[in-house]
């Protein structure tokens, strides 16, 4: 049988809207900002609303607090004048939870491996205390760098960050190389 123009339109819109609606997923436990998609893979538009924008915004900005909170995120998936609504009940974990502590510990990185100048070693991260130690005087526990003398070579340093909160602590090690001092600059004029 031949499809009418309206039936063709309905199939076309359904072939785009339905898969985008069905495939839309987000994490249900939040500890950090998330990406809330604004367009489906097939091309539908997605608009978000939140039952608690102070905790999770429509743009996916997450604010962790002292208490675990539940937030309803609502996605309206639209294409061709048609819409479907999908709701997600998400939990924003407490910054006092072991889960959040482990997340901060697992994801923290000092972001450097080769240094020539002082570095910043934070002593606190979102309510978690961090203390530092070093196995080499080339970098002290405050992040102050003493470069090795010219000709002595670069110095490997192992920095240890001790994360602690609520009686729990964990050590994390970082390997950094301190560059030896250079000879200086020689200027010549021709």
């Amino acid at each position: 049988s031949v499809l009418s123009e309206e039936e063709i339109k309905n199939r076309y819109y359904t072939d785009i809207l339905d898969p985008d609606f069905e495939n839309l997923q987000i994490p249900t436990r939040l500890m950090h900002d998330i990406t809330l998609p604004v367009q489906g893979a097939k091309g539908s538009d997605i608009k978000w609303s939140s039952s608690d924008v102070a905790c999770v915004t429509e743009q996916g900005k997450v604010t962790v607090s002292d208490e675990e909170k539940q937030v309803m995120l609502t996605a309206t998936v639209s294409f061709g004048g048609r819409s479907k609504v999908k709701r997600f009940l998400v939990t924003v974990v407490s910054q006092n939870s072991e889960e959040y502590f482990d997340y901060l510990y697992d994801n923290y990185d000092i972001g450097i491996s080769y240094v020539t100048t002082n570095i910043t070693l934070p002593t606190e991260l979102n309510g978690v205390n961090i203390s530092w130690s070093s196995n080499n005087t080339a970098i002290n526990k405050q992040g102050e760098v003493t470069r090795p003398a010219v000709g002595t070579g670069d110095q490997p340093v192992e920095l240890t960050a001790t994360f602690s909160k609520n009686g729990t602590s964990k050590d994390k090690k970082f390997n950094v190389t301190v560059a030896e001092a250079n000879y200086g600059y020689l200027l010549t004029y021709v």
Side-chain angles (χ1 to χ4, degrees), residues 125-142:
L125 178 65
N126 295 7
V128 173
N129 295 316
I130 306 173
S131 59
W132 294 89
S133 62
S134 172
N135 72 342
N136 186 323
T137 58
I139 302 178
N140 69 18
K141 65 183 182 179
Q142 288 80 30

Side-chain angles (χ1 to χ4, degrees), residues 72-159:
M72 183 65 71
L73 293 176
T74 303
T76 303
V77 184
S78 304
F79 187 81
R82 293 164 174 80
S83 296
K84 287 185 167 190
V85 174
K86 193 169 192 176
R87 290 180 177 79
F88 301 91
L89 182 62
V90 298
T91 301
V92 178
V93 302
S94 164
Q95 68 183 7
N96 295 320
S97 69
E98 188 174 329
E99 182 179 9
Y100 189 65
F101 176 86
D102 289 342
Y103 164 77
L104 291 176
Y105 172 85
D106 291 341
N107 290 283
Y108 182 76
D109 187 2
I110 59 174
I112 56 170
S113 60
Y114 192 81
V115 297
T116 58
T117 61
N118 294 345
I119 58 176
T120 301
L121 298 176
T123 57
E124 188 271 339
L125 178 65
N126 295 7
V128 173
N129 295 316
I130 306 173
S131 59
W132 294 89
S133 62
S134 172
N135 72 342
N136 186 323
T137 58
I139 302 178
N140 69 18
K141 65 183 182 179
Q142 288 80 30
E144 296 165 344
V145 172
T146 303
R147 292 177 70 180
V150 173
T152 60
D154 296 346
Q155 292 291 308
V157 177
E158 183 179 82
L159 293 172

Side-chain angles (χ1 to χ4, degrees), residues 154-170:
D154 296 346
Q155 292 291 308
V157 177
E158 183 179 82
L159 293 172
T160 301
T162 301
F163 290 71
S164 59
K165 184 167 185 165
N166 299 332
T168 300
S169 68
K170 287 185 177 182

